[in-house]
Amino acid sequence: METDCTRRPEGVPPLPPGTRLLHIGPHKTGTTSIQGAMFAAKDRLGEHGVLWPATTRHPMEAVLAACARPGMMGDAGPSEKQWLHLVDRVNGAGRAVTSVISSEFFADAPDDATIGRIVAQLGGDSVHVLVTLRPLAKIMPSQWQQYVQNGLRMGYEEWLEHMLRKAPYEKPNPSFWRRHRHDRLVERWVRAVGAERVTVVVVDDRDRDGLMRTFEQLLGLPQGLLQEVPDTANRSLTLAETEMLRNLNKEFRGNGLPDELYSKLVRHGAVMHMKNACSPTPQDVKICTPQWAVEAAAEIGAEMARSIGATGVRVLGDPALLSAVPKPGTETLAEPRIAPEVAAQALYGALAAAAAAPIRNTAPVKSRTVHQTSSRELVKVLGHRCLKRLRRR
C-alpha cells in the first residue's frame, strides 16, 4: 500500500483549527495510552487551542449510549444524557478550538445510521476520524482475556477456533469482528465523513513513543507534551490469572448468580484489586497464540491492508506490519499456576467490595442449617444476600 507518510510521521501536518478529532480505536490499539496522556495534559492543551471535553480519562458510558450499546456485564445501562453532555461541551468550545474525543467503543457503532448521527451531533464536516491499528495476532490474546473479564467461559484455543475457523465467526463474541475487521470498520466511517477526513495510524510496538508523537503532530502540540501514564488497572491478565477467572466464570454461571453481583464483586472487586496490587513477573506464563492462528491472522491482516489502501484514506505507519508473521517461539511453556499472593489479593478484592456495603439488621428467619443445604443452593443464597446488601448502598 503506497502512502506518502508511511515512514515519515514527522511530516504530518496539523489538522485545521476547530476540527473534532474522533479517535474510534478499536480496542487494544493504544487507546488507553492516548486517553491517559490526553487527560493528564488536559489543563495545558488549552494553551495550544485543543480541548479534551470529557471529564474523565475515558468517556465510556457516554460513547456506549451514543452507540446504543448496553453497559458491561452487570453494570447499569448508560444514559443518553451523558453523551449529550459531552456533545454540548464539544459544540460549546468554539470554532477555533480543536476537540479530541477518544473511545474504542466507537468501533462498536452498529450501523451507518448510528455513525451518521454521531458525526452530525459532533459537527458534521468538522469531524476527522482517526483509526489506530495493530496486527491481529497481537490483538487476539488481549481481546480474549478482556472478554473473560466480562464473563467469557471459553478457553483461548477454542475461542480462536470459533473466531477463525467456524463460520459465521460470530460466537461467542460477535463484537470481535465488528471491531477488528479493520477494513470494514474504516469503510463504515468513510461512508459517513469521506476518505479525505479519515486517518489510519498503524502502530509500531517497537516505537513506544510513536503514537504520542503522531497525536502531537496532528493536534499541533509541542513535542513531548503527551506522556504515557502508567495504568495498572488496564494491564492484561496473565494466563494463570485469566484461567482462574475463566473457571470462576463457569462456577458463577453454573450457580445462576446475578450479573450485578459479578460486576461488583468480581470485575470491580477481585479483578481490579488483583491488577492494582500484583504486577506480572518474568516467570508468569503468557497467553500464547498457536502458529496456525498467527498465520491465519496475518493473511487477514494482508487482505485488510489492501482494502484500506483502496479506500483512499491517509495511512501513517507501515501497513506491512499488519501482515507480518512473527517467528514461532522456541521456549517450553510451563503449566500456568496462580501465585498464592495473587489469589489472596483477588479474594481480598472481592471481600473488600462486599464489605463496602453497609450491613443492616434484619429480623431472624427460621431456615435450614448449612448442613441441610446443598452447596449449589448455598452459593445461590449467599450470592443473592450479598447483592441485596450491595444494593442498599
Side-chain angles (χ1 to χ4, degrees):
M1 182 172 15
E2 298 284 340
T3 61
D4 55 352
C5 295
T6 292
R7 301 189 185 278
R8 296 190 64 222
E10 67 274 10
V12 179
L15 296 167
T19 296
R20 280 75 190 274
L21 182 61
L22 189 62
H23 179 206
I24 68 169
H27 295 67
K28 306 302 177 184
T29 61
T31 50
T32 299
S33 294
I34 289 299
Q35 291 156 6
M38 293 290 295
F39 185 66
K42 63 183 176 63
D43 292 336
R44 298 176 59 194
L45 296 177
E47 302 170 12
H48 308 283
V50 177
L51 171 71
W52 180 261
T55 56
T56 60
R57 179 190 62 78
H58 179 201
M60 182 177 73
E61 291 80 9
V63 178
L64 288 174
C67 296
R69 256 208 54 169
M72 304 293 281
M73 175 183 170
D75 288 355
S79 167
E80 181 74 10
K81 290 182 179 179
Q82 294 168 298
W83 168 245
L84 295 178
H85 178 67
L86 183 62
V87 170
D88 286 344
R89 293 201 58 174
V90 172
N91 291 333
R95 295 184 178 182
V97 176
T98 296
S99 298
V100 184
I101 311 97
S102 172
S103 174
E104 52 270 43
F105 286 99
F106 281 120
D108 289 353
D111 50 42
D112 287 4
T114 301
I115 292 172
R117 175 175 52 78
I118 291 170
V119 170
Q121 288 176 314
L122 290 174
D125 291 345
S126 299
V127 173
H128 190 99
V129 175
L130 179 65
V131 188
T132 44
L133 299 183
R134 294 175 72 231
L136 277 177
K138 295 186 176 182
I139 288 173
M140 290 188 300
S142 296
Q143 190 72 92
W144 170 71
Q145 61 86 31
Q146 195 69 51
Y147 283 129
V148 172
Q149 292 183 53
N150 200 41
L152 180 68
R153 292 162 284 167
M154 186 178 288
Y156 186 42
E157 292 208 26
E158 184 183 1
W159 182 81
L160 289 171
E161 288 276 351
H162 278 266
M163 292 295 101
L164 295 169
R165 287 179 167 174
K166 294 188 177 181
Y169 317 107
E170 293 180 349
K171 295 181 179 180
N173 301 112
S175 64
F176 180 79
W177 286 118
R178 170 151 288 275
R179 298 169 179 175
H180 296 300
R181 186 68 206 204
H182 300 145
D183 50 350
R184 296 172 189 166
L185 173 66
V186 170
E187 288 165 1
R188 287 196 295 273
W189 288 85
V190 164
R191 288 197 292 269
V193 301
E196 70 281 0
R197 289 194 282 122
V198 175
T199 296
V200 172
V201 178
V202 180
V203 178
D204 187 344
D205 291 340
R206 298 168 298 184
D207 182 3
R208 289 185 58 86
D209 296 328
L211 186 57
M212 297 290 179
R213 305 295 80 83
T214 298
F215 263 79
E216 288 170 346
Q217 290 152 16
L218 286 170
L219 296 171
L221 299 174
Q223 184 171 349
L225 178 62
L226 299 182
Q227 296 292 329
E228 187 170 357
V229 179
D231 184 6
T232 57
N234 189 60
R235 75 163 176 88
S236 292
L237 301 180
T238 66
L239 179 57
E241 291 169 340
T242 309
E243 284 298 309
M244 178 184 72
L245 180 57
R246 188 172 70 86
N247 281 281
L248 174 60
N249 292 346
K250 290 181 180 180
E251 292 296 322
F252 192 93
R253 281 298 190 196
N255 285 285
L257 295 175
D259 289 352
E260 189 178 345
L261 190 67
Y262 186 92
S263 172
K264 291 181 180 295
L265 296 191
V266 179
R267 188 168 59 250
H268 296 300
V271 175
M272 188 63 68
H273 187 76
M274 181 176 67
K275 284 182 176 184
N276 285 327
C278 304
S279 299
T281 69
Q283 288 71 42
D284 285 313
V285 179
K286 297 180 180 180
I287 300 170
C288 183
T289 304
Q291 192 64 18
W292 70 263
V294 171
E295 293 172 358
E299 289 183 13
I300 297 171
E303 181 182 343
M304 293 192 299
R306 289 192 295 270
S307 298
I308 291 171
T311 65
V313 302
R314 175 172 57 172
V315 179
L316 307 178
D318 186 359
L321 292 174
L322 301 177
S323 57
V325 180
K327 294 180 180 179
T330 57
E331 69 276 7
T332 301
L333 293 181
E335 184 72 18
R337 295 190 180 278
I338 196 80
E341 58 270 24
V342 175
Q345 293 293 350
L347 178 58
Y348 174 79
L351 293 174
I359 299 176
R360 299 183 182 182
N361 293 327
T362 55
V365 179
K366 290 184 178 181
S367 60
R368 289 171 291 172
T369 67
V370 170
H371 299 292
Q372 295 171 319
T373 307
S374 69
S375 59
R376 187 182 184 89
E377 188 175 357
L378 184 61
V379 169
K380 284 186 180 180
V381 171
L382 290 174
H384 283 283
R385 286 182 180 178
C386 185
L387 180 59
K388 186 179 292 185
R389 287 175 178 174
L390 287 167
R391 284 173 172 167
R392 288 174 180 162
R393 294 183 66 181

